[in-house]
Amino acid sequence: MSAASASTQPLRRTPLYAQHVARGAKMVPFAGYEMPVHYPPGILKEHLHTRAQAGLFDVSHMGQAMLIGPKHATTAAALEALLPADICNLQPGQQRYSQLLNDSGGIIDDLMVTRPHSESDDGRLLLIVNAARKEVDYAHIAAHLPAGVRLLPGPERALLALQGPAAAHILGQLCPQAPRLGFMQAAGVRVGSVDCHVSRSGYTGEDGFEISVPAEDAEALWRLLLKDEAVQPIGLGARDTLRLEAGLCLYGHDIDETTSPVEAALAWSMQKRRRSEGGFPGAKRIQAELASGPKRKRVGIRPDGRTPARDGTPILAPLGGHLGVITSGSFGPSVGAPIAMGYVAADRTEDGTPVSLMVRGKALTATLAPLPFVPHRYARIR
Amino acid sequence: MVTERFTKDHEWVRLDGGIATVGITDHAQQQLGDVVFVELPEVGRKVAASEAVAVVESVKAASDVFSPIAGEVMEVNGDVVDRPALVNEDAEDKAWFFKLKIAEGVALDALMDRAAYEAFVKEGS
């Protein structure tokens, strides 16, 4: 048995730290925070519970920032200069997934952009970024803003995610407006007696919500949601297996400053107008990749046996020859077998392509598979 | 007479005559969480003390299992390969990993007894 390494940085805590400890969570360092990796039931049960009923996640470590300008068109144009999604045509109360890009089209971070529903918030955009990239993102954005648009990083807010097929019913009992939101829609609402900003989105492939609250209200909301017997707290371990089964990228693993959105199979997140007009960092590379295909592409991988193939595992052609590398790999609790994602040469990305994975010096057979591994069950917009 | 000893890497070994049975400790399985895969050495393989001979994987990560002593693998536990969750249920009995035939005179003196191991675990937590 080999031991894990420790970090020397002092760790930060979310407003829900005491709640995790009280529930017997195993706390681990993650992106500079002390976070629950699992609770007493463990990753497998937590994962399956989320797919069967509803899981509650503390994701307060993520960065929440506000981009503030005089009116929507100005703020949206400022953000469009940094990412390839259509923000100008984002409607009030609509949310969009995108990627901050560097000048070579590599991904600095992936993020959620929301245009607040309320007219009084015109000119504002809410950004939710990865915990480990907060400082990098904020410095990058601030350095590239035109006069009149400013970034207000991290107001003291917590972020909770309620995910799973029972999420809409559960939140609906506390907040009748929530189930009326379509997938990727957002609104300012009251949940119980707490003022929140709720979006219908998440990182599990299930229907669900992300709920932003002032830090001082986080415990009250956490306890309120856990009063429902169908809701269990879920740690970062199950969050990772849920997102992997859903085929969703983890920054620093599946995407980084060298991968483009086209390589990462995220072209769907670049709307038509942006693809043709360009005007975002790395547009030249990305437009060329859209026209003639990228050199490599993110794919799903199913090992044939029961051995999980982890991040960094080389992917070979069946008769040898380097094809690429695995960027996320684990056991998929709902799939009941090991699953992985990784990059392979673009001429070898077809589903069903046999490959070899080098695990501990042995070549294991595997097959390229469609993503997601578990079908998404997002709420259809009504 | 059965002699039971523990390693700092959280393996247990029980020596009965010339046969040593090896597994991972209950503390180890708790630390790992849900075990989803176990890889065991081939029967007949000669292993050295502290050699990585088996792998146990939880949902989160893979960990090596080291042989506490030198010997020849004479039997492996197919039950833990078929049902890795057995490691979480009964790490120190039914979920043994492998049995070694050990050379005469090989001693376990360098390893900890249960009291010493429990103190070691307590100290590290």
Side-chain angles (χ1 to χ4, degrees):
Chain A
M1 297 285 304
S2 38
S5 64
S7 160
T8 51
Q9 288 279 332
L11 294 170
R12 297 158 78 178
R13 293 174 174 179
T14 76
L16 295 167
Y17 173 85
Q19 298 294 313
H20 304 315
V21 172
R23 283 192 163 258
K26 182 178 180 188
M27 305 299 288
V28 297
F30 180 83
Y33 284 80
E34 223 173 327
M35 297 297 290
V37 64
H38 64 76
Y39 297 86
I43 295 174
L44 285 182
K45 287 198 179 84
E46 290 172 26
H47 174 115
L48 297 172
H49 182 87
T50 305
R51 293 246 188 269
Q53 299 192 60
L56 183 63
F57 302 74
D58 176 15
V59 287
S60 306
H61 58 312
M62 298 192 76
Q64 303 184 64
M66 186 90 77
L67 201 58
I68 304 170
K71 59 183 203 299
H72 177 71
T74 313
T75 315
L79 191 56
E80 280 198 359
L82 302 177
L83 50 75
D86 186 342
I87 305 300
C88 290
N89 292 306
L90 200 59
Q91 296 304 304
Q94 207 186 350
Q95 186 175 44
R96 202 152 257 180
Y97 169 75
S98 191
Q99 308 84 32
L100 293 170
L101 299 177
N102 62 28
D103 288 337
S104 38
I107 300 173
I108 296 170
D109 197 7
D110 61 342
L111 77 167
M112 285 289 199
V113 181
T114 308
R115 181 177 178 185
H117 190 268
S118 164
E119 215 164 283
S120 62
D121 284 329
D122 187 57
R124 294 180 169 226
L125 291 170
L126 299 167
L127 311 180
I128 298 182
V129 305
N130 283 299
R133 301 296 286 174
K134 265 186 250 189
E135 282 76 21
V136 171
D137 293 350
Y138 295 163
H140 173 78
I141 294 169
H144 290 83
L145 289 178
V149 180
R150 67 194 170 93
L151 181 74
L152 186 64
E156 286 306 307
R157 294 185 76 85
L159 190 66
L160 279 63
L162 184 68
Q163 301 279 301
H169 176 73
I170 292 160
L171 193 57
Q173 289 178 321
L174 303 165
C175 170
Q177 302 99 308
R180 291 184 216 132
L181 295 169
F183 180 55
M184 300 295 271
Q185 287 184 338
V189 296
R190 277 178 88 79
V191 179
S193 59
V194 180
D195 280 317
C196 307
H197 188 263
V198 172
S199 69
R200 196 156 198 175
S201 55
Y203 195 45
T204 61
E206 297 295 326
D207 183 19
F209 302 87
E210 292 196 336
I211 310 168
S212 171
V213 288
E216 63 267 27
D217 295 328
E219 281 201 2
L221 180 63
W222 176 263
R223 280 201 292 255
L224 181 63
L225 291 168
L226 282 172
K227 272 188 187 162
D228 196 305
E229 281 181 3
V231 181
Q232 292 286 321
I234 310 296
L236 291 184
R239 182 169 157 86
D240 190 51
T241 52
L242 287 159
R243 71 89 197 166
L244 176 57
E245 284 186 342
L248 302 172
C249 291
L250 174 60
Y251 193 86
H253 294 259
D254 308 300
I255 47 178
D256 60 29
E257 296 211 24
T258 69
T259 50
S260 79
V262 185
E263 291 178 329
L266 299 173
W268 59 268
S269 67
M270 298 185 278
Q271 285 71 32
K272 211 170 167 184
R273 177 179 66 83
R274 302 305 315 279
R275 293 185 192 204
S276 54
E277 285 178 9
F280 50 84
K284 211 172 147 187
R285 168 187 175 187
I286 286 167
Q287 286 173 323
E289 287 180 347
L290 285 168
S292 24
K295 285 199 186 73
R296 56 178 179 167
K297 201 163 180 194
R298 181 172 64 97
V299 293
I301 300 149
R302 291 282 303 259
D304 293 339
R306 293 170 60 174
T307 312
R310 310 280 177 179
D311 183 7
T313 300
I315 307 171
L316 308 177
L319 299 175
H322 184 79
L323 284 184
V325 66
I326 284 177
T327 50
S328 281
S330 185
F331 178 82
S334 300
V335 174
I339 51 173
M341 301 196 294
Y343 284 82
V344 295
D347 57 342
R348 308 296 278 274
T349 61
E350 205 178 319
D351 296 337
T353 302
V355 296
S356 287
L357 308 175
M358 287 304 289
V359 178
R360 294 184 285 271
K362 274 181 255 173
L364 306 176
T365 60
T367 310
L368 300 192
L371 293 172
F373 296 103
V374 170
H376 293 161
R377 297 198 285 182
Y378 301 138
R380 291 295 135 221
I381 294 174
R382 40 218 76 199
Chain B
M1 200 190 106
V2 181
T3 313
E4 183 184 55
R5 290 290 182 272
F6 299 85
T7 71
K8 287 184 176 173
D9 298 312
H10 307 286
E11 291 93 9
W12 58 262
V13 53
R14 266 171 226 141
L15 190 60
D16 189 359
I19 306 298
T21 306
V22 178
I24 68 167
T25 65
D26 191 57
H27 171 77
Q29 71 77 17
Q30 280 179 32
Q31 292 300 306
L32 284 170
D34 299 305
V35 173
V36 295
F37 178 76
V38 176
E39 187 176 280
L40 298 176
E42 277 174 33
V43 172
R45 176 171 159 188
K46 289 193 172 62
V47 302
S50 303
E51 185 179 338
V53 289
V55 175
V56 57
E57 299 209 22
S58 67
V59 179
K60 286 298 284 176
S63 303
D64 285 323
V65 177
F66 304 98
S67 184
I69 51 172
E72 181 181 331
V73 179
M74 55 173 294
E75 192 181 345
V76 296
N77 186 359
D79 290 350
V80 294
V81 175
D82 294 340
R83 207 167 70 78
L86 191 60
V87 179
N88 296 114
E89 292 161 17
D90 197 3
E92 297 193 9
D93 186 14
K94 290 197 182 103
W96 58 275
F97 277 29
F98 53 89
K99 293 186 183 193
L100 295 174
K101 188 159 48 177
I102 62 164
E104 239 175 277
V106 170
L108 298 176
D109 297 348
L111 303 177
M112 295 174 277
D113 62 15
R114 186 172 281 278
Y117 175 69
E118 280 170 3
F120 169 74
V121 166
K122 215 170 183 181
E123 195 178 296
S125 63

